[in-house]
Amino acid sequence: MAVSSAFVVTPKLEKLLANHHNPTYSSSPAPLDVIGIRALPMNNRNKRGLIQRARCEISPSNKAASISALEQLKTSAIDRYTKERSSIVVIGLSIHTAPVEMREKLAIPEAEWPRAIAELCGLNHIEEAAVLSTCNRMEIYVLALSQHRGVKEVTEWMSKTSGIPVSEICQHRFLLYNKDVTQHIFEVSAGLDSLVLGEGQILAQVKQVVKVGQGVNGFGRNISGLFKHAITVGKRVRTETNIAAGAVSVSSAAVELALMKLPESSHASSARMLVVGAGKMGKLVIKHLVAKGCTKMVVVNRSEEKVAAVRNEMPPGVEIIYKPLDEMLSCAAEADVVFTSTASETPLFLKEQVETLPPVRDARLFVDISVPRNVGSCVAEIDGTRVFNVDDLKEVVAANKEDRVRKAMEAQAIITDESKHFEAWRDSLETVPTIKKLRGYTERIIAAEIEKSLPKMGIDMNKKMRKTVDDLIRGIVNKLLHGPMQHLRCDGNDSRTLSETLDNMQALNRMYGLDAEILEEKIRAKVEKK
């Protein structure tokens, strides 16, 4: 089989070879034959000889050089790259496994994701990469030529970029491989791995990984396909299970409950809303009100500074009116719903104060999410007034959480189904290089035979006649290749297993001598990244 005479061992490839024969680094068994050539036993002497021989350019006139540099490499342990399938691996730290102090140091800003992908793919055993970095997780997804070496290199890279010792990262990281990676990213995208089950922000973050990765070298077919499928899963889970419905936090439950209790004639955009307190909980109430369609509200607070900060975070068209604490009662008189969330240790609304307020059309709602309570218990005794506190909200939250757990079980069935589809797609990629090389091999034969045969025919053929002959030969070849090509299919649409398909692929590689070309491409692609 003719191979490129310009193939030489670069320093990076020399390192690859050295790593693969370091007895202290791996306990992997000796490689098997790939195309019937016995693998050389790799002691230090013949390893040096292999590298020295491969460094020399092979001259076509040098008859003593019976085996090219590429053939030498093929008989070495590096032939494992044509026999072993590259692995998808995730090396991650999340809110479930690592403290925030560590996640902060490891976090990679979105603008730096392309640079991180380039650096990761520059590692010896990493072909593709992606970064998912959020406030709750830092996960690196890679396609690795070797699982163990890939994990080692990525972990060392994480240590170098963050300043955290490798040993400390290893204590808090989690590692997943292949099908477990697929299951994990699908669960992440569906919101099943979030603190708030089914929350939607993570799906937007997974989408951003794909958006940023477009056009970045290293965000390759396997990893990009994984993330694109994860987006599909996230959408399907939310559509078919409605898992995001129902409030599961106190602030969101407060807003949901208030809107439920408003009369049918009122809704978020028309009801008069008052929020007392602009701290953490008050801010969340405001955000949830805006998310539900409320575009105007009054916020009472001791100082205007916090209210101004919240106002700056709101989208255009939302009006937030600040009022000082001494105007709280007059503001309540004009409100249909009053949310309270201050740190006051004494009630802000007492029965005698609320009794003086003018009545509203149906009932004035007080939703008190403070502990201690900001609304006195006796206020509920006033006609035309309804009071809800944290305990009432907890029941709503608990009921919604139970509902989400049931929906999460439905989501798992969807994830299992989609995982099978993705794995079938990925299995089908295994035979692509062989199919392409076999097609190229037949194209070269067709072209050579036509050129050789035309002069023998003794006639000057025009373009139409030549095309007819060409089509005839290609038709015959395509029919002969139909059977072999069918036996390289592994897309989940037939009963053929991946193992059978790979056996067929290896048989074709041996019969047509395609291994050398596939190996050359794989090694060259890796080496040329340096």
Side-chain angles (χ1 to χ4, degrees):
M1 182 70 189
V3 295
S4 171
S5 62
F7 188 78
V8 296
V9 174
T10 65
K12 181 163 187 178
L13 187 51
E14 182 174 337
K15 186 176 179 182
L16 269 172
L17 285 168
N19 281 347
H20 272 273
H21 305 299
N22 183 348
T24 64
Y25 194 78
S26 172
S27 59
S28 300
L32 302 175
D33 299 341
V34 177
I35 56 171
I37 301 177
R38 182 174 59 85
L40 296 175
M42 295 302 292
N43 55 35
N44 287 336
R45 180 180 297 175
N46 62 35
K47 180 175 69 180
R48 286 195 298 271
L50 168 62
I51 294 173
Q52 288 167 0
R53 289 194 297 275
R55 278 180 172 155
C56 301
E57 290 197 12
I58 305 301
S59 170
S61 62
N62 185 0
K63 296 181 180 180
S66 59
I67 305 179
S68 70
L70 182 61
E71 290 296 323
Q72 293 283 349
L73 286 173
K74 188 174 65 176
T75 61
S76 77
I78 208 162
D79 71 355
R80 71 199 298 267
Y81 292 158
T82 63
K83 292 182 71 64
E84 289 188 8
R85 179 183 186 177
S86 295
S87 298
I88 294 181
V89 184
V90 59
I91 302 97
L93 297 95
S94 74
I95 195 169
H96 307 299
T97 68
V100 65
E101 293 81 10
M102 179 177 289
R103 302 199 309 277
E104 285 174 344
K105 293 178 182 178
L106 287 162
I108 301 175
E110 184 181 308
E112 296 295 315
W113 290 356
R115 175 194 59 78
I117 291 172
E119 291 183 4
L120 288 164
C121 290
L123 302 175
N124 283 342
H125 294 85
I126 304 303
E127 297 179 279
E128 301 175 15
V131 176
L132 177 59
S133 182
T134 73
C135 58
N136 287 335
R137 65 185 70 250
M138 164 57 182
E139 298 176 355
I140 294 178
Y141 293 77
V142 296
L143 183 71
L145 291 167
S146 164
Q147 286 186 4
H148 300 299
R149 294 178 179 87
V151 168
K152 180 177 185 292
E153 290 170 358
V154 172
T155 304
E156 289 173 348
W157 179 86
M158 293 170 72
S159 175
K160 180 181 177 181
T161 57
S162 67
I164 301 174
V166 168
S167 58
E168 192 173 344
I169 292 176
C170 290
Q171 288 177 4
H172 295 277
R173 76 183 180 188
F174 63 87
L175 302 173
L176 297 171
Y177 304 95
N178 297 315
K179 292 182 180 180
D180 290 335
V181 176
T182 304
Q183 177 81 10
H184 174 71
I185 187 60
F186 287 4
E187 289 179 353
V188 168
S189 186
L192 303 190
D193 194 56
S194 301
L195 282 179
V196 178
L197 195 64
E199 59 93 7
Q201 186 178 10
I202 187 62
L203 178 57
Q205 291 163 335
V206 171
K207 289 180 180 178
Q208 198 63 19
V209 172
V210 174
K211 182 178 179 181
V212 173
Q214 295 300 323
V216 176
N217 289 333
F219 189 65
R221 177 185 292 180
N222 287 269
I223 297 297
S224 65
L226 176 66
F227 273 81
K228 288 174 182 176
H229 207 120
I231 294 170
T232 300
V233 173
K235 291 178 178 178
R236 184 181 167 194
V237 165
R238 286 170 175 80
T239 301
E240 295 185 19
T241 69
N242 203 23
I243 193 171
V248 290
S249 68
V250 169
S251 54
S252 61
V255 172
E256 184 175 298
L257 182 64
L259 296 179
M260 286 171 51
K261 299 301 181 181
L262 281 172
E264 292 183 4
S265 58
S266 300
H267 47 80
S269 60
S270 61
R272 298 172 297 174
M273 302 291 184
L274 170 64
V275 180
V276 181
K280 181 180 179 181
M281 294 298 287
K283 179 180 176 181
L284 289 172
V285 167
I286 294 169
K287 287 187 173 182
H288 287 299
L289 282 171
V290 171
K292 292 293 186 180
C294 181
T295 57
K296 182 178 179 179
M297 67 195 76
V298 176
V299 179
V300 170
N301 198 56
R302 292 184 184 278
S303 66
E304 189 175 2
E305 184 179 356
K306 285 187 176 181
V307 178
V310 174
R311 186 187 294 121
N312 290 335
E313 295 181 25
M314 294 299 111
V318 175
E319 183 181 2
I320 296 179
I321 304 167
Y322 165 74
K323 293 293 182 180
L325 195 60
D326 57 13
E327 296 184 28
M328 181 183 66
L329 281 176
S330 60
C331 291
E334 300 177 0
D336 297 310
V337 182
V338 179
F339 296 93
T340 60
S341 60
T342 78
S344 175
E345 295 184 1
T346 57
L348 300 179
F349 291 95
L350 297 172
K351 182 177 181 180
E352 54 269 25
Q353 295 170 317
V354 177
E355 282 178 328
T356 65
L357 300 180
V360 293
R361 184 170 54 182
D362 290 286
R364 179 177 284 109
L365 305 182
F366 284 86
V367 184
D368 185 4
I369 58 175
S370 305
V371 178
R373 287 176 289 176
N374 288 166
V375 180
S377 57
C378 294
V379 172
E381 299 173 1
I382 302 173
D383 291 338
T385 303
R386 302 183 68 182
V387 179
F388 302 94
N389 59 36
V390 173
D391 288 347
D392 299 312
L393 302 179
K394 284 181 178 177
E395 292 180 12
V396 175
V397 170
N400 287 337
K401 281 185 177 179
E402 288 180 10
D403 185 52
R404 289 198 180 192
V405 169
R406 287 192 296 270
K407 290 173 179 176
M409 295 175 66
E410 297 174 23
Q412 285 292 355
I414 294 173
I415 289 172
T416 299
D417 178 55
E418 291 290 350
S419 295
K420 291 178 181 177
H421 287 301
F422 175 76
E423 292 301 327
W425 171 80
R426 189 164 176 246
D427 289 344
S428 71
L429 299 182
E430 286 295 290
T431 59
V432 170
T434 296
I435 292 172
K436 290 171 66 177
K437 290 301 174 185
L438 187 55
R439 282 288 182 190
Y441 176 74
T442 59
E443 288 292 331
R444 291 193 297 272
I445 292 176
I446 290 171
E449 291 302 314
I450 289 177
E451 289 301 319
K452 186 169 63 176
S453 300
L454 286 180
K456 296 179 182 179
M457 299 177 72
I459 56 175
D460 186 16
M461 300 180 69
N462 59 34
K463 288 184 178 180
K464 183 176 181 180
M465 291 179 66
R466 181 169 179 147
K467 184 178 184 303
T468 301
V469 173
D470 188 79
D471 289 344
L472 173 65
I473 296 174
R474 290 179 187 278
I476 294 171
V477 170
N478 286 338
K479 288 186 181 299
L480 291 172
L481 287 180
H482 179 73
M485 291 298 185
Q486 283 294 102
H487 282 78
L488 290 180
R489 283 185 56 194
C490 185
D491 56 7
N493 293 326
D494 51 40
S495 60
R496 193 173 299 111
T497 65
L498 176 62
S499 177
E500 287 180 80
T501 303
L502 294 182
D503 286 343
N504 294 334
M505 179 186 73
Q506 290 165 10
L508 285 170
N509 285 339
R510 289 194 299 272
M511 286 187 285
Y512 292 100
L514 305 177
D515 260 325
E517 293 184 44
I518 295 171
L519 175 58
E520 179 181 7
E521 280 192 2
K522 197 160 192 176
I523 297 173
R524 193 184 301 281
K526 191 69 206 149
V527 172
E528 286 177 352
K529 287 181 180 178
K530 280 295 188 185

